[in-house]
Amino acid sequence: MSDRFRMKIRAGETFLYRKGGTESQVFEIRMKSDVNHSCMQRAARLAYKRYPYFKSRFKTIDGSVYLCENIVSPPPARVKKLRPLGGSTTSNNLLDITFHKNRIFISFHHAMCDGRGIMQFIKTLLYYYLNFRYPHNNVRIPDVRLFGEGMLPGETADPVNDGNLEFDKSKVYVADRTAFAIPEVQNGEDAGGMSWRYEMTFDVNKVMKVCKANNCTPAILMTILMQKGVKAVNPDAAEQILCSMSCDWRESIGLPNTFRNCVSSIYLPYGAAEQDMDMTELGTHFRSLIAKQKETDSARCSASVMKMMSDMLDSLGSYEKKVETVSGFTSRPINSFICSYTGRANMGDAEKYIESIHVYSSGTKGISLQMMSVGDTFTVDFQQNFPDETYARAFLTQASKMGLTADCSDVIAYITPKDHTENTNFIKSLIGFFRRIWS
């Protein structure tokens, strides 16, 4: 990729056209010691050089949004409060690094990339930071990408334009997506973007032991615990309790190295048949459902939703029409809940310096389990659009029945700031308005 670039946003486009902006997605890395300012600044400079596309801003051209080179990038700042992406405090950048005491916050815009895309940047940042911080320890991280090594094939490819999305409709598995609507989600008031979360930390070895005994992956295990918890709270629920599980389609469409947004959902229902299964049967059943939805034709069909949405938005023309259309999708509550497992962060030597990693964002109307594993910890950031602890406690009760206990925080009320990129579009609209008056 050249030093100067302009890439039209297609994959992840629905995160662009949000009224008032889109909330930042945040990876919070908790270190075992306080962050050194100068070492973090030096590390960030090198990380941005390896990933120039993260030193970027949005630019709207004829109603479409492009990822463009940012002349400057904001230096990491020691501040408590997250800074809005795309605004003056982040020099218009769409990725921001802040820290406070022992916590590092990586805020990014979901239209630009997804969790797997940003994790590569985080590994590089931590590699440089820890080697500057502890110069005699020779900290090594597996598969880390370093400045000067060059980009991998397809690293900047857009899945909508460059992915193999061809599939045979007759071979596509169609999941049953009927779902129980959690009453508290439906009745949750608009709290001005406020969300609530519970931070749960499990011992990863105990989690993996339970998984192995019940033929589950960590994501399947946590899904089952949540489904059983929702059912316990709502025993008379007639509809099945549905998990929308985030799924990465990079391998399926032939773009394993792209940093771009390449995620949609697969579906795991918990109805009458599933309630009669024991844990091992249910774990095996869900593995089978996941495998069916990950078969090539089914996977590409699911990934093609990205292209369908992008083509539909392109057909609308104006920025305002796109915002109105996307609002119709994003204002709907999630039925029943989301489960997103970024995976195990294989950090090598860096793991002895990291306490835990958390993933969260605010503003979603529903319940979302954002999961991450590093070192000895498995974290669940249990997010929801209402403060009541009923479902978090129901989830932990089901976990305890499997011999799993978690350190759980009190409820945390929080907001991740919306981007300020819409200000640019407002100014352009204002200029256009006066031009129409004067012409």
Side-chain angles (χ1 to χ4, degrees), residues 24 82-93 96 417-420:
S24 298
L82 299 174
R83 303 186 291 191
L85 299 173
S88 59
T89 56
T90 59
S91 304
N92 299 321
N93 216 53
D96 191 32
K418 290 186 176 184
D419 69 66
H420 281 187

Side-chain angles (χ1 to χ4, degrees), residues 327-376:
S327 177
F329 291 106
T330 58
S331 61
R332 299 172 186 170
I334 296 166
N335 298 332
S336 299
F337 65 93
I338 291 174
C339 177
S340 179
Y341 181 37
T342 305
R344 179 171 178 81
N346 186 8
M347 291 290 187
D349 297 338
E351 291 180 3
K352 63 184 177 183
Y353 302 98
I354 301 171
E355 184 180 288
S356 62
I357 300 179
H358 297 261
V359 186
Y360 51 85
S361 181
S362 65
T364 301
K365 190 170 185 180
I367 296 178
S368 175
L369 278 63
Q370 296 286 338
M371 302 178 297
M372 188 78 202
S373 175
V374 63
D376 296 329

Side-chain angles (χ1 to χ4, degrees), residues 23-294:
E23 289 85 357
S24 298
Q25 188 82 7
V26 180
F27 274 66
E28 181 182 326
I29 303 105
R30 296 183 186 170
M31 310 299 287
K32 292 181 179 178
S33 60
D34 286 355
V35 178
N36 180 284
H37 196 162
S38 65
C39 291
M40 180 56 66
Q41 286 187 320
R42 293 168 66 194
R45 281 196 292 270
L46 288 174
Y48 277 124
K49 286 182 178 180
R50 170 54 185 84
Y51 303 91
Y53 47 78
F54 284 136
K55 198 177 86 169
S56 57
R57 60 187 173 85
F58 286 149
K59 185 174 183 179
T60 304
I61 304 173
D62 297 329
S64 295
V65 180
Y66 291 76
L67 191 66
C68 296
E69 179 189 16
N70 205 15
I71 302 302
V72 296
S73 57
R78 189 191 302 274
V79 293
K80 280 187 177 182
K81 193 173 182 180
L82 299 174
R83 303 186 291 191
L85 299 173
S88 59
T89 56
T90 59
S91 304
N92 299 321
N93 216 53
L94 299 171
L95 184 150
D96 191 32
I97 305 168
T98 55
F99 59 93
H100 183 255
K101 294 184 178 179
N102 69 321
R103 302 186 181 197
I104 303 169
F105 303 90
I106 312 294
S107 303
F108 66 97
H109 201 294
H110 220 325
M112 178 176 62
C113 69
D114 57 21
R116 180 168 162 182
I118 203 65
M119 271 305 300
Q120 292 299 330
F121 177 89
I122 290 172
K123 289 177 74 169
T124 301
L125 179 73
L126 289 178
Y127 171 86
Y128 285 123
Y129 170 75
L130 290 170
N131 279 292
F132 288 141
R133 184 78 170 83
Y134 308 101
H136 303 297
N137 290 6
N138 189 26
V139 177
R140 292 170 294 181
I141 299 177
D143 302 318
V144 67
R145 302 177 190 176
L146 301 179
F147 170 57
E149 293 180 348
M151 290 198 189
L152 301 179
E155 189 169 333
T156 61
D158 190 303
V160 170
N161 293 332
D162 307 308
N164 185 347
L165 300 175
E166 295 181 1
F167 61 91
D168 184 339
K169 291 182 180 179
S170 67
K171 297 180 181 179
V172 172
Y173 176 79
V174 180
D176 182 358
R177 296 171 59 177
T178 58
F180 171 67
I182 295 175
E184 290 83 354
V185 168
Q186 301 287 328
N187 300 330
E189 296 181 5
D190 182 359
M194 182 74 71
S195 292
W196 292 264
R197 78 176 186 271
Y198 297 84
E199 295 179 350
M200 304 172 183
T201 304
F202 295 86
D203 182 294
V204 71
N205 294 319
K206 292 181 180 179
V207 170
M208 296 311 299
K209 183 178 179 180
V210 173
C211 286
K212 186 176 181 179
N214 294 280
N215 197 27
C216 293
T217 63
I220 288 175
L221 175 62
M222 297 301 162
T223 292
I224 294 171
L225 298 181
M226 183 61 185
Q227 289 171 325
K228 287 179 175 290
V230 173
K231 186 62 178 178
V233 176
N234 301 278
D236 298 327
E239 302 90 347
Q240 63 187 2
I241 297 158
L242 186 70
C243 172
S244 297
M245 182 178 287
S246 298
C247 189
D248 184 335
W249 302 119
R250 284 172 171 79
E251 304 295 336
S252 300
I253 65 173
L255 295 175
N257 299 319
T258 180
F259 82 95
R260 307 294 285 268
N261 202 310
C262 199
V263 172
S264 63
S265 295
I266 56 179
Y267 301 94
L268 300 179
Y270 184 78
E274 287 77 17
Q275 291 172 46
D276 290 335
M277 299 178 185
D278 63 28
M279 281 295 292
T280 302
E281 288 178 304
L282 193 49
T284 304
H285 173 60
F286 280 172
R287 278 184 180 271
S288 175
L289 289 181
I290 290 172
K292 289 177 181 178
Q293 293 175 76
K294 284 189 172 183

